[in-house]
Amino acid sequence: MSVLDDGSLKHPPESAVDQRWKFLVFYLCFYGFMTQIRPGESFITPYLLGADKNFTTEEVTNEITPVLSYSYMAVLVPIFLLTDYLRYKPVLVLQSLSHISIWLLLIFGTSILAMQFMEFFYGITMAARVAYSSYIFSLVTPSHYQRMASYSRSAVLMGVFTSSVLGQLCVTVGGVPFVTLNYVSLGFMLFGLILTLFLEQPKRSLFFNQSGAPAPSELDRMHPVGDKPVPPAPSHWRSSALFRMLRELGTITKLPQLRLWSLWWIFNSAGYYLMLYYVQLLWNEIYPTTDNRKVYNGGVDAASTLLGAITAFTAGYVKIRWALWSELVIGGVTAFQAGLLLLMSTTSNIWLCYGAYILFRGSYQFLVPIAIFQIATSLSKELCALVFGVNTFFATVLKTIITMIISDKRGLGLSVHPQFYVYFAYFTLLAVVYLGAAVCVAVTHRRRKVPQEPAFAKELGSPAEEAPGKERSSEPGSVHI
């Protein structure tokens, strides 16, 4: 607000700002919701194995599905950079076109090569999700970041839930063929493309299109320069925000909590998505029905999405000393997931397999917001986005290596049941490492605590014993960055 000549205050037209904020929230959330309405997605595997396409289980497991991991790794970095350089909207258009290509190939493709291209476009859509999640940071003011991120994420989850329920109702109650669901999904994707065209083009982005002077780096915030001599002006590419963030990555990896949760993000998300890619094939082996009405993939996806949303919401209210308990929590959840994978690998009851899958996804979604908070709590939004991008890239590389070894026909070419035994062993190994680290942290904490007990007892003395006029810190030993 500005001060007039008579000393009165002139307020900005807040109503127009509020209306614009509400419109941006509504349109982006509506777009995120509608682009998730793909009722045929939960039934892609039974559709490929059924009479419509008639592919064999070996072809889907060892030739078609592995392409998804390869394409995702190939396009992840280029799309991450193009998203910021082109300011989001063109990449969202590319994502919509790729969605349309997926369903066109599913409907009209008949060869393995066509299905491999379908998986290639699916990898593009997954890599382009970063455009939607980071789009909000360029449209609204920093005071609205948290609320906007919450709204947009909720819209996506509601879209996935609605899509899964719609698909299951169409199959079970309406007896709708899988190919018809694919046509419905194609129609929604065409509508999503239209919505994409009306998205606002941001004028700035996080790295390449910053307006005004570049923001101070993370290291500058932690260690003010003072009266040090000013170095010579660097070249343009060295002074870019992206280059400065890359230089700072090596320093922030020394932060214990950031390092721990980044490693969790890399190793556990790789195993999580591998399970997600192949679980429909496992269900088909456990319960190979030809009656589409008895395929409950959509209902299971809806239940797992709902439980994931509930556990993610609950995680926001968990208040513990994460510096002390992080390894134990991660190890406990990972051990629980290993047990669920063993149950899924050994059971012949489809309902037990469904239940284990729902709990697996819910437990993973419980840790995701905790990891986001632990990584992002002391970083700028630019550096935070770069850290998550790097973590996702390494997770994708690891996932691709595992796929090449155990799934691809040029590797071991394992069928789906042996693959799930491998995933069980993988999560068991992770759980052992995490729990071992938790023991080390507990022992170290105990050793540090013992010498401090006399000092702590002294701190509990009467305030009258303190020197007069001396201020006591409200948080002894705390560090403020």
Side-chain angles (χ1 to χ4, degrees):
M1 54 187 174
S2 60
V3 182
L4 300 181
D5 294 336
D6 59 358
S8 61
L9 297 178
K10 179 181 179 182
H11 294 275
E14 294 184 359
S15 59
V17 175
D18 290 341
Q19 289 297 325
R20 178 171 177 77
W21 152 250
K22 292 177 182 179
F23 175 76
L24 289 174
V25 170
F26 172 78
Y27 192 83
L28 190 61
C29 290
F30 180 68
Y31 165 79
F33 176 85
M34 293 305 301
T35 53
Q36 299 301 316
I37 305 299
R38 304 186 291 268
E41 191 166 56
S42 298
F43 304 94
I44 288 179
T45 298
Y47 170 71
L48 294 177
L49 297 174
D52 293 299
K53 296 301 177 183
N54 206 27
F55 291 108
T56 66
T57 303
E58 291 74 19
E59 289 172 337
V60 176
T61 305
N62 305 126
E63 296 185 54
I64 296 175
T65 306
V67 177
L68 174 57
S69 296
Y70 304 152
S71 65
Y72 186 32
M73 187 187 74
V75 302
L76 180 61
V77 173
I79 286 184
F80 177 79
L81 297 176
L82 286 174
T83 295
D84 194 86
Y85 186 75
L86 300 177
R87 291 174 294 162
Y88 311 109
K89 183 176 177 178
V91 175
L92 290 174
V93 174
L94 174 65
Q95 185 186 44
S96 295
L97 293 173
S98 298
H99 273 305
I100 293 171
S101 302
I102 289 171
W103 297 104
L104 287 174
L105 287 167
L106 277 171
I107 294 171
F108 300 108
T110 57
S111 65
I112 293 178
L113 181 61
M115 295 304 104
Q116 289 174 334
F117 270 108
M118 179 271 295
E119 295 286 10
F120 170 76
F121 285 114
Y122 206 100
I124 293 177
T125 64
M126 291 183 64
R129 290 174 184 174
V130 66
Y132 176 78
S133 60
S134 56
Y135 186 85
I136 56 176
F137 294 120
S138 299
L139 290 182
V140 297
T141 58
S143 61
H144 291 133
Y145 283 166
Q146 185 173 354
R147 241 198 312 168
M148 188 65 169
S150 174
Y151 292 161
S152 61
R153 178 61 180 166
S154 299
V156 169
L157 291 176
M158 283 301 300
V160 174
F161 177 78
T162 303
S163 175
S164 302
V165 171
L166 176 63
Q168 191 62 60
L169 290 176
C170 289
V171 170
T172 304
V173 180
V176 177
F178 292 150
V179 66
T180 304
L181 287 182
N182 293 340
Y183 277 107
V184 173
S185 302
L186 176 61
F188 276 108
M189 293 304 98
L190 290 169
F191 180 62
L193 176 62
I194 296 174
L195 292 177
T196 308
L197 298 177
F198 288 95
L199 286 171
E200 181 175 333
Q201 178 77 37
K203 294 182 175 61
R204 58 187 176 85
S205 59
L206 294 180
F207 301 120
F208 293 108
N209 301 285
Q210 292 184 330
S211 57
S217 69
E218 207 67 33
L219 295 180
D220 294 337
R221 294 190 182 96
M222 296 179 183
H223 309 288
V225 177
D227 298 327
K228 293 181 180 179
V230 179
S235 59
H236 176 71
W237 69 273
R238 288 181 178 271
S239 62
S240 66
L242 180 60
F243 183 79
R244 289 188 292 110
M245 296 297 112
L246 287 172
R247 285 188 303 175
E248 292 168 7
L249 278 179
T251 301
I252 64 173
T253 52
K254 298 176 183 177
L255 301 175
Q257 286 298 296
L258 187 144
R259 183 172 61 245
L260 170 66
W261 287 98
S262 292
L263 290 174
W264 174 86
W265 194 283
I266 293 169
F267 287 99
N268 287 58
S269 65
Y272 170 79
Y273 280 104
L274 284 171
M275 184 280 300
L276 217 61
Y277 294 165
Y278 289 93
V279 72
Q280 289 191 20
L281 286 161
L282 180 67
W283 294 341
N284 191 77
E285 281 202 1
I286 295 175
Y287 189 62
T289 180
T290 57
D291 185 1
N292 293 348
R293 293 174 181 267
K294 296 182 179 180
V295 178
Y296 301 105
N297 296 7
V300 176
D301 283 339
S304 62
T305 301
L306 183 61
L307 179 63
I310 293 172
T311 56
F313 179 79
T314 305
Y317 293 89
V318 177
K319 303 295 182 183
I320 62 174
R321 293 178 61 187
W322 288 108
L324 182 61
W325 298 105
S326 289
E327 288 84 356
L328 183 61
V329 172
I330 294 175
V333 172
T334 304
F336 176 65
Q337 292 175 324
L340 293 174
L341 286 171
L342 180 62
L343 176 61
M344 294 169 68
S345 306
T346 56
T347 185
S348 58
N349 187 316
I350 188 61
W351 294 105
L352 280 178
C353 191
Y354 283 156
Y357 168 78
I358 293 170
L359 292 175
F360 188 97
R361 289 194 66 183
S363 59
Y364 175 81
Q365 294 299 331
F366 171 75
L367 290 181
V368 167
I370 298 175
I372 292 174
F373 173 76
Q374 292 296 322
I375 293 173
T377 184
S378 60
L379 304 180
S380 66
K381 66 178 186 295
E382 295 89 355
L383 191 56
C384 181
L386 190 59
V387 168
F388 283 120
V390 171
N391 290 346
T392 302
F393 173 73
F394 282 119
T396 304
V397 172
L398 177 61
K399 180 176 58 180
T400 304
I401 293 172
I402 296 174
T403 300
M404 292 177 65
I405 295 173
I406 71 170
S407 303
D408 199 298
K409 69 174 185 178
R410 291 163 292 187
L412 296 177
L414 299 180
S415 60
V416 67
H417 261 101
Q419 285 191 42
F420 270 75
Y421 281 115
V422 173
Y423 303 152
F424 159 69
Y426 176 81
F427 273 83
T428 301
L429 177 61
L430 290 178
V432 170
V433 173
Y434 292 139
L435 293 175
V439 172
C440 293
V441 169
V443 171
T444 304
H445 176 73
R446 182 65 181 171
R447 288 177 177 174
R448 289 178 178 175
K449 187 178 181 181
V450 172
Q452 292 177 356
E453 286 180 354
F456 180 70
K458 186 177 181 180
E459 287 181 5
L460 294 178
S462 170
E465 299 175 2
E466 297 181 11
K470 182 179 180 181
E471 284 191 7
R472 296 183 65 191
S473 173
S474 60
E475 296 183 7
S478 61
V479 178
H480 299 277
I481 298 179

